[in-house]
Amino acid sequence: MRKSNKYIIALCLACFFRCSDATDPNILALVGSTHVTTNEFVDAYSNKLIQNQVKDSEFERERTLNDLIRTKLFAEAARSNDLGLDSSALNLIKLSTESALRDALYEEIIGSKKIAVSDSVIRQHFQWQHTEIKLRHLFHSDQEVLDTIFTKVQKNPEKFYTFAEQLFKNEELKNSGGMLGWIGYNTLDPNLEEAAFSVPVGIVHGPVRSSYGWHIIVKEDEKKEMIVGEYDYQVSKKKLGALVSKKQSQIIANNSVNDLMTSGVSIKDSLVFKILGQINFVVFEKKILNNNLKDSNKEKIINVVQDLKLNKNMVLATYPGGTFTVDNLLNNLRNSNTGKFLDDPIQAFYTALRDEILTSKALEMGLTNNNSVQMKIKSAEDQYLAQRYLLSLSPSNAKKYFSQKEIAEMTVALKKEITVTIYNKNMELLFSNK
């Protein structure tokens, strides 16, 4: 099942949620000093439905909730036994905190007001749902760069190949003239999607703003499903309308975020290229060549790594209220996809810088105290504390596997010591359409 389907399932579950008088509507269960939240349940249950291909049922819902409660019990046991977290866990919790802050910033920008979507707009998206487009693009983070290119490409679309060689680091995009191939609905960034599906075939269009930069696009061809009628539209209208509303909200948020990225941000380009080159060398040699390294290359890697460590405080970019250093970049890249970095190091840099600026803005706005952020931090802590508790049960503190019987016995014992309160009304309302 495609990744987008997971997003839709999670969105639908979240949209079904309603308030309860019993307690905070975001809490499904209290376990000692911690809790199971609706966000945790939606994530866990969505993954179960998709990855295990199980059907939704009262039994599966209850089992998922009990699994989450069990994790909380282990976390509470770790707290009562004064079991701390190692530096690796603390670093991962820090990353979870930063991610939660960025999510809260998006919500703050969008606000609670739901964007109304007209029937004509929903119908347009319905048509796009049953369409595939063959798309070519050029990308740059700076609009002015594409502004100067646009008129040249508009007069002669064959120049896509010339500029693709100049702009892209990815070899496939460089050699194909920025060809993205056949693309379906709900795949692209919302703003880019709207432009790409709307523009007539063969017309060079842009620059178009996405959440990560600017694009010049040309739709070379399109394929439409012909046997789609009014009945199909009416069946999907309500769910599709909610999705389109979400997309419109995301466009608003992305535009605000992009304004942050262009307002007072200064990047030391030559220094960035040098540092990215060093990182690229180390990552490529270690990941791609692995154990086939020559002694001379091993020595060079050691020297490059030492150089990066010595220059970890070197400033690569500045933004209002802060700086982005080599150390900030390395910390972000350690927890990102290595393959994506090798494909496009420059894009990886901009993503890392973007995350840093958004996190800084969220902190400036005091969103650390946001209830949703606090719940997500607590959830991350619970995950690692639960693991720490299980490891503590092994004399050598080594990894140990427990049987289902052992896990069940530990859970029963802990429930005698730790109070568990389940809010069934909140669970019912989570799946209610009313």
Side-chain angles (χ1 to χ4, degrees):
M1 187 176 286
R2 294 194 313 179
K3 190 174 181 180
S4 59
N5 290 340
K6 174 184 174 182
Y7 165 78
I8 293 171
I9 290 174
L11 176 64
C12 291
L13 288 176
C15 288
F16 287 154
F17 185 80
R18 296 293 185 273
C19 294
S20 168
D21 294 333
T23 185
D24 185 332
N26 292 306
I27 296 176
L28 299 180
L30 290 177
V31 184
S33 68
T34 190
H35 39 247
V36 176
T37 68
T38 55
N39 282 333
E40 290 174 298
F41 181 86
V42 166
D43 287 344
Y45 198 52
S46 297
N47 284 330
K48 176 178 284 189
L49 294 179
I50 293 169
Q51 295 177 4
N52 299 334
Q53 296 186 343
V54 299
K55 292 183 178 180
D56 175 41
S57 66
E58 291 288 346
F59 173 77
E60 292 296 343
R61 295 175 190 178
E62 184 177 353
R63 184 159 69 170
T64 301
L65 180 60
N66 285 332
D67 288 345
L68 292 169
I69 289 172
R70 183 180 64 212
T71 297
K72 304 297 180 178
L73 286 168
F74 293 162
E76 285 293 271
R79 290 187 179 98
S80 65
N81 291 335
D82 294 323
L83 298 178
L85 295 168
D86 59 23
S87 58
S88 176
L90 290 172
N91 181 54
L92 290 171
I93 290 170
K94 179 177 179 290
L95 290 173
S96 296
T97 301
E98 292 172 353
S99 176
L101 284 167
R102 291 192 292 271
D103 288 343
L105 179 61
Y106 265 86
E107 291 300 319
E108 191 76 15
I109 293 170
I110 294 171
S112 58
K113 185 178 180 181
K114 184 178 179 181
I115 295 178
V117 182
S118 67
D119 181 76
S120 61
V121 171
I122 299 174
R123 284 183 182 275
Q124 186 178 50
H125 280 259
F126 177 72
Q127 292 175 3
W128 295 344
Q129 261 191 333
H130 299 278
T131 302
E132 285 189 342
I133 61 174
K134 189 177 183 181
L135 191 67
R136 188 185 301 278
H137 85 137
L138 297 172
F139 168 80
H140 200 277
S141 59
D142 188 345
Q143 182 186 7
E144 291 183 4
V145 172
L146 293 190
D147 281 338
T148 60
I149 291 173
F150 178 71
T151 52
K152 299 175 184 178
V153 178
Q154 191 179 37
K155 291 178 181 178
N156 184 6
E158 286 300 313
K159 285 191 175 290
F160 256 84
Y161 289 89
T162 303
F163 290 113
E165 288 184 357
Q166 297 175 13
L167 295 175
F168 290 116
K169 297 296 181 182
N170 179 283
E171 289 299 321
E172 187 174 342
L173 290 171
K174 182 192 290 284
N175 296 329
S176 67
M179 176 59 72
L180 294 174
W182 287 99
I183 294 172
Y185 178 76
N186 210 31
T187 303
L188 299 169
D189 173 273
N191 205 41
L192 186 59
E193 174 185 81
E194 189 169 307
F197 277 83
S198 298
V199 70
V201 172
I203 301 297
V204 177
H205 182 70
V208 179
R209 195 182 204 181
S210 73
S211 60
Y212 39 89
W214 294 87
H215 309 255
I216 294 173
I217 60 173
V218 60
K219 182 165 64 177
E220 297 199 338
D221 200 357
E222 66 180 11
K223 297 184 291 189
K224 294 183 178 181
E225 291 182 36
M226 302 306 295
I227 310 176
V228 181
E230 181 66 19
Y231 174 78
D232 300 298
Y233 170 68
Q234 294 299 332
V235 168
S236 60
K237 178 179 178 179
K238 183 176 181 180
K239 187 177 292 186
L240 181 58
L243 178 60
V244 175
S245 177
K246 183 76 174 180
K247 286 175 181 285
Q248 297 296 328
S249 296
Q250 188 178 339
I251 289 172
I252 293 172
N254 286 341
N255 286 338
S256 296
V257 168
N258 283 331
D259 289 339
L260 288 175
M261 289 293 294
T262 56
S263 178
V265 177
S266 177
I267 299 172
K268 299 179 180 179
D269 292 329
S270 59
L271 185 56
V272 169
F273 286 131
K274 175 189 172 184
I275 297 298
L276 287 177
Q278 289 180 313
I279 297 172
N280 190 74
F281 170 75
V282 174
V283 172
F284 179 81
E285 294 290 330
K286 284 190 171 183
K287 181 176 177 64
I288 306 301
L289 300 182
N290 203 5
N291 295 323
N292 298 321
L293 290 173
K294 298 178 182 178
D295 288 340
S296 59
N297 282 7
K298 289 180 181 178
E299 184 178 349
K300 187 174 181 181
I301 286 176
I302 292 172
N303 290 336
V304 171
V305 170
Q306 287 178 340
D307 187 57
L308 288 170
K309 287 181 178 178
L310 287 172
N311 293 295
K312 68 177 185 177
N313 294 321
M314 185 179 292
V315 175
L316 299 176
T318 59
Y319 58 90
T323 58
F324 185 70
T325 65
V326 171
D327 197 40
N328 295 140
L329 175 61
L330 291 173
N331 285 335
N332 184 284
L333 295 180
R334 286 190 191 101
N335 300 282
S336 59
N337 186 291
T338 303
K340 287 185 178 180
F341 173 79
L342 290 173
D343 284 342
D344 196 340
I346 294 176
Q347 184 60 47
F349 167 80
Y350 278 107
T351 299
L353 175 59
R354 176 190 177 90
D355 285 350
E356 185 75 15
I357 292 174
L358 295 183
T359 302
S360 175
K361 183 65 176 179
L363 288 169
E364 179 189 319
M365 294 172 63
L367 294 180
T368 304
N369 298 321
N370 179 281
N371 189 46
S372 175
V373 172
Q374 288 296 315
M375 285 185 172
K376 288 178 180 178
I377 295 173
K378 186 80 165 180
S379 175
E381 291 176 349
D382 288 343
Q383 288 288 333
Y384 297 112
L385 282 171
Q387 295 173 17
R388 184 72 183 88
Y389 175 70
L390 290 174
L391 286 173
S392 73
L393 300 179
S394 172
S396 61
N397 207 36
K399 187 174 182 179
K400 180 180 178 181
Y401 296 93
F402 296 91
S403 67
Q404 289 186 350
K405 181 181 178 182
E406 289 174 316
I407 292 290
E409 288 174 349
M410 284 188 280
T411 303
V412 170
L414 289 173
K415 280 185 176 180
K416 293 178 180 178
E417 302 174 8
I418 302 168
T419 303
V420 176
T421 305
I422 298 175
Y423 295 96
N424 291 313
K425 184 67 177 295
N426 286 351
M427 174 64 84
E428 291 171 8
L429 293 174
L430 181 61
F431 289 91
S432 172
N433 281 308
K434 297 180 180 180

